[in-house]
Amino acid sequence: MNTTYVPADYLPVLIQLGLALGFIITTMIATHALGPKRHSQKKDDPFECGIPVQGDARTPISIKYFLIAILFVLFDVEVIFLYPWAVNFKGLGMTGFVEMVLFMGLLLAGFYYIIRKGVLKWE
């Protein structure tokens, strides 16, 4: 089986990428140039699910909210790695088990660090 690749092997992928980007750019320019430009007070109002707009949308949000969200995504993605391991548990043998214990140890060390720093304390 020949596994050496030359740059010409990637030509169809590059052509497809170029065509996709060209279509997107052409479509965006055409809709901007050809579309109607009717402005009115009612049309330019931001639409908020039928509720009248109240206050400023750019109020500062606590950094704690973003930290919790990022930590949730981080640990959620880490748990995703457990599923293929669990499916192939018997086939991986002792090496797979040791690797997963190391992975879980690092994951729990990170979780311990987060708890120690008080990131999860909501005031």
Side-chain angles (χ1 to χ4, degrees), residues 7-117:
D9 292 337
Y10 297 104
L11 188 61
V13 175
L14 293 176
I15 290 172
Q16 177 119 15
L17 180 66
L19 288 173
L21 287 174
F23 176 76
I24 291 169
I25 292 170
T26 304
T27 305
M28 289 178 68
I29 291 171
T31 56
H32 182 71
L34 301 174
K37 294 166 183 61
R38 291 173 263 161
H39 296 284
S40 67
Q41 176 65 30
K42 190 76 167 167
K43 187 172 181 175
D44 291 339
D45 254 357
F47 181 70
E48 298 277 341
C49 302
I51 301 170
V53 179
Q54 296 178 356
D56 186 17
R58 284 157 184 71
T59 56
I61 298 175
S62 173
I63 192 69
K64 292 275 190 184
Y65 173 77
F66 296 108
L67 283 175
I68 297 294
I70 289 170
L71 290 174
F72 171 76
V73 170
L74 175 71
F75 284 106
D76 194 39
V77 168
E78 299 297 335
V79 168
I80 290 172
F81 287 116
L82 292 174
Y83 182 74
W85 174 78
V87 169
N88 297 318
F89 178 70
K90 288 184 180 179
L92 293 174
M94 192 59 166
T95 306
F97 179 73
V98 170
E99 288 174 353
M100 188 49 68
V101 167
L102 179 66
F103 175 76
M104 291 301 296
L106 291 172
L107 185 66
L108 290 175
F111 191 62
Y112 176 74
Y113 175 77
I114 288 169
I115 290 174
R116 233 20 212 157
K117 283 297 211 178

Side-chain angles (χ1 to χ4, degrees), residues 1-5:
M1 183 168 170
N2 188 7
T3 59
T4 55
Y5 296 104

